[in-house]
Amino acid sequence: MRALRRWWPLVGPSLLVTAVALGGQFLPLSTQLQVRSVLVTTVIVVALYVFVGNSGVISFGQVSFVAVGAFAAGLAAAPADVKPTTFPKLIPFLAELEIGNIESLVLAAAVGGLFAFIVGIPLMRLSGLSAGIATFAVLIITNNVLRNWEAIGPGAKTLSLIPQTTFFIQATTGLLIVMAVAYVYQTSRYGRRLRATREDAAAAQSSGIDVHRERLWAFTLSGVLGGFAGGLLVHQLGSITTQQVFLDLAFITLAMLVVGGIGSLWGAVVGALMIAGLNAFLAEAQRGITIGSFDLELPGGTRLLTLGVVMLVVVLFKPTGLTGSRELTWPFSRSRFPQPASPSEPLGSSPGGGAGRSEVEGVDPSATEQ
Amino acid sequence: MSRVLLELDHVSVSYGSVPAVRDLSLEVAPGEVVGLVGSNGAGKSTTLAAIMGVHRLAAGDIKFEGISIAKEQPDAIARRGVALVPEGRHIYPDFTVEDNLRLGLLGRSTREGADRDLEWVRRLFPAIADSSKRMAGLLSGGQQQQLAIARALVSDPRVLLLDEPSLGLAPSVVDTLFDALAEIRDKGVAILLVEQRAQLTVAFADRTHVLRNGDLVLTLGPEDVVDTDRMTQAYFG
Amino acid sequence: MSFVQLLIDATALGALLALVAMGIALVFGVMRLVNFAYGELITVGAYTLVLTKGWPIVLRVLAAFVVVIASSLLMEVIFRPLRRATAATMLVATFALSFLLQNMFLFIFGPQGETIEFLAPLNRAIEIGDLRIRWITIIAIALGAVLLGFMSWLLGKTSVGLQMRAAAADFTTARILGVRAGRVIMLAFVLSGFLAAAVTLVLAVQRPLATPNYGFVVLVPALVGVVVGGLGKLVPATLGGFAIGFATVVLGDLLPSGSRVFLNSVLFAIVIIVLLVRPDGLFTGRTGVAERV
Ligand SMILES: Nc1ncnc2c1ncn2[C@@H]1O[C@H](COP(=O)(O)OP(=O)(O)O)[C@@H](O)[C@H]1O
Ligand SMILES: [Mg+2]
């Protein structure tokens, strides 16, 4: 029971995710496909959260790692007999390669992590908007290279015929694994040190935390998870273009994270499930669906408009996100003051203060408002 | 109009859930100098910022000329005749001295008399008049402090809030500073003076309050300067 | 392409992006808000010109200014809840607005684009020796110079300008001194709307097809320029916008034609290097403003 309560911030969201995935199994096939895409999107958002949420540094660049993961997995797993004809400029090694599903996911994670590590070494010296723009630059470069250097990328063409393996089982376990890694990291020594730098990096630095190194760890881990997500994505879609893992995806996943609550795993999961779920629902509704005795058919374009309105309204009026950037707390506690969900340092939490607040100081980004 | 110019009535201010000033009441009458001393973190700056409308009150009320200003914005409070010389001066280092002074004029309720006031502060602080085209950041520390005070004065305030004006200044410069403050007082501008130099403040002010951890613990008059016990308390807050 | 020709073309794009950069920096100065939706003001202007096709030119220009400035003020109202928000929240909020507006344009006008038909003859070139200079290029440079001159007069020599600079440099102190925060912020949005409208007029001649992402494609390089130049200060930010525009054209010419597709990579690699070497901005003095994030 104790353990369950301690791990609840991970177990709770995992149960939710499992319920969503299982629930999807009983729905029509088109809806199952949507549920799968929601799960994969959630993987991307959790990967993004591992860096952005724990470091407090905004990054538009994490989708670069999704992109390289997706194309590493996709190019390596696509059938060797068609690659040389579709992609004549592909280097022989890649053209002849044809690996299985699990290897391809591992490869995606490795490539994503390696790329993030290399990029992170210089970039993690930056903070604030400079970091945001620099990561944005990484995304532009990644896309530009994948799109135009046909020796290692698909060019402007669609990469297709990739074995579709991201079904219910892989999408769900993939997400659960990524969430577990994210949670173990954030509650580890490394994660806690990094979270201490969010509020005041200079103060953390002077108290002996190597901000650059801690950020680099998170960035690399986020790259591993992002690459893995890219692998899942490409094996879910079966075909992909460079534009599918570019600006739109970067912005929308960042928005999902902020809508849910940038500073918590629970926020990442809720934001992704909500927005991606809404997105999927609206996509269906545009094609026409029947709910009970109602026939609903929304005009084309409604989907993106609605998403935009929802994102804007949440961000404007609930800036800490739907979850307030807090982890999920154990719901069956008798005490009015539930224990801190994650074992964060109790720094600055004053006894008797914080009634009704379930988290210690420092998790809620709004607490730093002047 | 009441006899009191500025009145703090059981004022409390908190940062988040951490209280910085508790239940503080004090008054400043026209033409008076009131001191506020206490060690670092006692809540002095917070008090001045709250008067200026920069921090919202957790409890209590602040009245200026009998009217509550607790809910007003800083710029409105400035135009009513309250001027703050903030801790650390906060002049604009990349602006010319002239531009820094012109910014002070924004706090006036009327343009009338602006030239007279400008002339007065230039007489009061000749060093500033001499370097009006220079970047303010190039002035010496003492001159920057003078500029910050001059900037507050040209807003034609009825009460001047000063936050540790002597901080970081050489003793001789501090003397000049207090001479200027005396002249300002003699012009009829009331002063609420926050300082760490308790001796100097107690001697200069009509009344000096000692703040400790957000609480007002002691009030001293100029005659207490010779009372070692009470002065010790003032020093250590 | 001759060297002079190259310089002229580079200057023209630089001038345009400098105006966009200044529009972004004006609002950032007083609100610490990086407005991703700024590009949509330009798009609004473009669609205004589309909808006023057939009107007298003067009225179309007037309509563009009125609609764009009004939209900018509307944005100010929308962003009011953000005044005390964290940088991440602000960034995502303005992005969400940009996303929403682009999709609104898509919904209303469709993806295929609408012809603007605005002063197309200005695309004709005059030939001086072997130089071919389009009228609109000359106009872009001249307009850039005039507007930058006007803005530096307004900011440097007038009382409102002084107030805006003070608010941008130290907002709290400005308010203590009596600067009316609400008014200064509103003025910043009016001016930045004014600049967006001016940019629209030039772009409408150069790129006569209005699409939902019409302004966004201009915003992105300008925004990068702003950060590279130095976000906290107006002049460095504006120079940054100019530099990005200028560098884009020059690099495009320098790169061998086979690798011209990698222009973006080269450009953004330079951006990263500049950010690493000068995180406070390329054109700021040593007294760079500390980042708030
Ligand atoms: N911006 C702030 N956020 C949180 N706490 C603050 C802030 N400013 C001051 N404090 C705290 O409030 C208390 C009073 O500070 P202050 O008014 O600056 O004291 P003083 O001016 O007497 O040195 C101190 O404990 C200080 O740490
Ligand atoms: Mg102080």
Side-chain angles (χ1 to χ4, degrees):
Chain A
M1 196 64 176
R2 258 256 194 79
L4 183 60
R5 179 183 289 201
R6 176 163 138 63
W7 287 92
W8 186 248
L10 173 63
V11 174
S14 300
L15 289 178
L16 175 66
V17 163
T18 314
V20 168
L22 277 175
Q25 286 300 95
F26 298 105
L27 295 169
L29 184 65
S30 68
T31 317
Q32 282 187 28
L33 291 175
Q34 297 283 13
V35 170
R36 235 172 272 159
S37 117
V38 168
L39 295 177
V40 173
T41 308
T42 308
V43 180
I44 302 176
V45 176
V46 173
L48 175 68
Y49 157 76
V50 166
F51 176 68
V52 174
N54 290 315
S55 72
V57 177
I58 290 293
S59 169
F60 296 106
Q62 305 313 97
V63 164
S64 317
F65 313 129
V66 178
V68 296
F71 284 103
L75 284 170
D81 46 348
V82 296
K83 270 189 279 191
T85 41
T86 343
F87 305 107
K89 291 189 186 154
L90 211 55
I91 49 170
F93 171 72
L94 268 177
E96 287 154 18
L97 198 62
E98 184 175 339
I99 58 176
N101 166 228
I102 299 299
E103 294 92 317
S104 133
L105 290 178
V106 172
L107 176 73
V111 171
L114 184 67
F115 185 36
F117 180 72
I118 294 169
V119 167
I121 291 173
L123 253 57
M124 291 301 102
R125 306 209 168 278
L126 298 171
S127 41
L129 277 164
S130 305
I133 294 292
T135 54
F136 179 80
V138 170
L139 180 60
I140 303 267
I141 295 172
T142 308
N143 176 268
N144 189 246
V145 169
L146 284 175
R147 198 174 170 72
N148 293 297
W149 193 12
E150 295 182 341
I152 58 150
K157 292 195 213 95
T158 302
L159 173 63
S160 52
L161 292 176
I162 305 152
Q164 280 178 284
T165 48
T166 309
F167 296 125
F168 162 75
I169 298 281
Q170 288 204 3
T172 313
T173 29
L175 175 54
L176 291 177
I177 291 172
V178 167
M179 284 165 61
V181 172
Y183 188 70
V184 168
Y185 168 74
Q186 83 186 44
T187 50
S188 73
R189 217 152 22 104
Y190 302 95
R192 293 210 310 265
R193 277 204 294 257
L194 182 60
R195 288 171 89 87
T197 69
R198 278 189 310 190
E199 311 284 296
D200 191 344
Q205 185 96 46
S206 62
S207 69
I209 296 178
D210 185 342
V211 176
H212 175 249
R213 196 175 58 197
E214 300 304 338
R215 283 184 180 165
L216 183 57
W217 285 137
F219 198 69
T220 306
L221 182 61
S222 172
V224 170
L225 301 180
F228 177 68
L232 286 176
L233 178 69
V234 84
H235 285 294
Q236 180 223 332
L237 297 173
S239 69
I240 193 165
T241 67
T242 50
Q243 299 318 96
Q244 279 172 282
V245 279
F246 194 33
L247 289 176
D248 285 350
L249 186 64
F251 284 129
I252 198 101
T253 46
L254 191 60
M256 286 174 183
L257 181 56
V258 172
V259 164
I262 203 166
S264 67
L265 177 63
W266 179 227
V269 171
V270 167
L273 289 182
M274 283 254 328
I275 300 290
L278 182 65
N279 182 38
F281 170 76
L282 292 168
E284 287 287 288
Q286 280 184 17
R287 267 178 244 129
I289 50 170
T290 310
I291 307 170
S293 56
F294 288 100
D295 284 327
L296 182 65
E297 187 172 346
L298 297 173
T302 324
R303 176 176 67 95
L304 296 174
L305 267 184
T306 314
L307 280 185
V309 171
V310 169
M311 287 184 332
L312 186 63
V313 167
V314 172
V315 174
L316 285 180
F317 298 105
K318 190 83 175 63
T320 53
L322 294 172
T323 66
S325 274
R326 295 188 196 126
E327 293 301 353
L328 187 62
T329 46
W330 181 244
F332 310 111
S333 177
R334 256 165 286 142
S335 157
R336 280 261 295 119
F337 309 101
Q339 302 199 324
S342 61
S344 330
E345 286 93 331
L347 275 174
S349 60
S350 53
R357 289 193 55 183
S358 50
E359 269 282 8
V360 293
E361 305 278 321
V363 172
D364 181 352
S366 69
T368 61
E369 285 176 16
Q370 306 254 6
Chain B
M1 191 186 291
S2 78
R3 177 184 54 77
V4 187
L5 185 62
L6 177 69
E7 182 184 354
L8 273 67
D9 184 11
H10 299 284
V11 164
S12 300
V13 187
S14 319
Y15 293 104
S17 56
V18 186
V21 173
R22 265 182 301 247
D23 204 27
L24 174 67
S25 296
L26 61 83
E27 294 180 348
V28 182
E32 218 177 19
V33 175
V34 175
L36 197 57
V37 297
S39 56
N40 256 330
K44 308 180 297 292
S45 299
T46 304
T47 304
L48 295 192
I51 296 172
M52 208 60 220
V54 176
H55 296 313
R56 293 289 134 213
L57 306 187
D61 194 15
I62 299 178
K63 288 204 178 86
F64 182 70
E65 296 182 324
I67 302 164
S68 171
I69 55 168
K71 296 218 154 52
E72 288 194 0
Q73 297 296 317
D75 55 283
I77 294 171
R79 272 186 299 277
R80 283 188 180 279
V82 184
L84 169 66
V85 179
E87 190 171 9
R89 299 160 196 146
H90 283 264
I91 56 155
Y92 289 92
D94 298 342
F95 293 12
T96 61
V97 169
E98 180 75 28
D99 278 352
N100 270 282
L101 269 186
R102 273 171 60 203
L103 280 168
L105 295 175
L106 296 171
R108 299 180 71 87
S109 50
T110 155
R111 285 290 306 189
E112 225 169 285
D115 292 338
R116 190 200 54 219
D117 286 348
L118 278 169
E119 209 167 296
W120 172 51
V121 298
R122 289 195 177 116
R123 218 168 346 98
L124 194 59
F125 302 118
I128 297 210
D130 295 340
S131 45
S132 66
K133 291 274 174 283
R134 292 179 70 189
M135 291 297 146
L138 298 176
L139 300 180
S140 71
Q143 289 169 338
Q144 291 190 14
Q145 187 58 265
Q146 293 181 350
L147 176 58
I149 295 172
R151 185 179 67 180
L153 286 177
V154 297
S155 74
D156 191 23
R158 301 218 50 210
V159 60
L160 184 63
L161 315 176
L162 289 159
D163 199 345
E164 304 207 25
S166 74
L167 194 72
L169 301 187
S172 64
V173 184
V174 174
D175 288 345
T176 331
L177 180 75
F178 272 77
D179 290 345
L181 293 188
E183 195 175 333
I184 292 164
R185 175 197 55 201
D186 295 342
K187 272 219 78 177
V189 180
I191 297 176
L192 179 54
L193 174 63
V194 162
E195 264 298 342
Q196 294 226 27
R197 299 179 195 240
Q199 183 103 25
L200 207 53
T201 308
V202 172
F204 182 68
D206 297 301
R207 211 163 48 251
T208 298
H209 303 293
V210 181
L211 221 53
R212 181 199 298 153
N213 290 337
D215 297 311
L216 199 161
V217 290
L218 187 68
T219 300
L220 302 164
E223 67 282 0
D224 292 317
V225 176
V226 291
D227 184 333
T228 332
D229 275 0
R230 290 175 70 96
M231 281 312 294
T232 314
Q233 265 193 294
Y235 271 111
F236 296 103
Chain C
M1 193 158 37
S2 82
F3 184 62
V4 180
Q5 178 90 52
L6 180 65
L7 285 189
I8 291 171
D9 289 347
T11 308
L13 186 60
L16 201 69
L17 291 188
L19 294 179
V20 181
M22 183 171 238
I24 298 169
L26 273 170
V27 168
F28 180 85
V30 293
M31 256 188 99
R32 304 283 130 179
L33 174 94
V34 179
N35 187 5
F36 261 100
Y38 187 65
E40 276 58 57
L41 290 177
I42 296 171
T43 315
V44 164
Y47 281 121
T48 306
L49 292 176
V50 168
L51 293 175
T52 55
K53 255 184 263 185
W55 294 21
I57 287 294
V58 180
L59 284 185
R60 292 179 78 186
V61 170
L62 203 65
F65 272 103
V66 170
V67 174
V68 173
I69 292 174
S71 308
S72 186
L73 280 172
L74 191 63
M75 279 190 189
E76 192 269 315
V77 176
I78 293 174
F79 290 145
R80 266 184 208 171
L82 291 178
R83 290 211 185 148
R84 330 197 78 200
T86 60
T89 307
M90 289 210 231
L91 209 60
V92 172
T94 68
F95 162 66
L97 181 62
S98 163
F99 179 87
L100 173 61
L101 289 175
Q102 287 189 46
N103 283 296
M104 204 172 82
F105 300 138
L106 192 65
F107 193 75
I108 301 173
F109 297 100
Q112 69 281 20
E114 301 269 348
T115 56
I116 302 179
E117 290 167 31
F118 179 72
L119 294 175
L122 292 178
N123 280 311
R124 279 201 295 263
I126 43 171
E127 296 187 22
I128 310 165
D130 58 353
L131 286 184
R132 285 180 45 86
I133 306 169
R134 294 190 297 159
W135 282 106
I136 190 62
T137 306
I138 299 172
I139 291 174
I141 296 173
L143 189 70
V146 168
L147 285 180
L148 295 179
F150 168 73
M151 291 299 298
S152 62
W153 168 78
L154 186 82
L155 290 167
K157 296 282 187 269
T158 68
S159 175
V160 282
L162 179 62
Q163 292 182 43
M164 286 196 63
R165 281 190 292 136
D170 183 344
F171 197 72
T172 307
T173 302
R175 299 188 69 195
I176 286 171
L177 295 175
V179 171
R180 288 180 170 89
R183 269 198 216 174
V184 167
I185 290 175
M186 233 169 347
L187 182 66
F189 274 88
V190 168
L191 289 174
S192 84
F194 176 80
L195 291 172
V199 168
T200 306
L201 296 180
V202 174
L203 268 185
V205 179
Q206 295 174 333
R207 307 177 189 180
L209 191 69
T211 51
N213 67 352
Y214 191 78
F216 191 74
V217 298
V218 187
L219 169 93
V220 169
L223 190 59
V224 170
V226 165
V227 176
V228 167
L231 185 55
K233 296 180 175 181
L234 265 175
V235 176
T238 308
L239 286 177
F242 183 86
I244 277 280
F246 196 89
T248 306
V249 175
V250 172
L251 279 175
D253 185 66
L254 289 182
L255 288 178
S257 62
S259 42
R260 203 158 291 169
V261 287
F262 293 109
L263 171 63
N264 265 343
S265 291
V266 176
L267 194 63
F268 281 89
I270 294 175
V271 165
I272 291 177
I273 292 167
V274 169
L275 286 173
L276 288 171
V277 180
R278 297 291 301 261
D280 285 333
L282 193 55
F283 302 115
T284 48
R286 249 165 294 139
T287 54
V289 254
E291 289 264 11
R292 290 240 187 136
V293 187

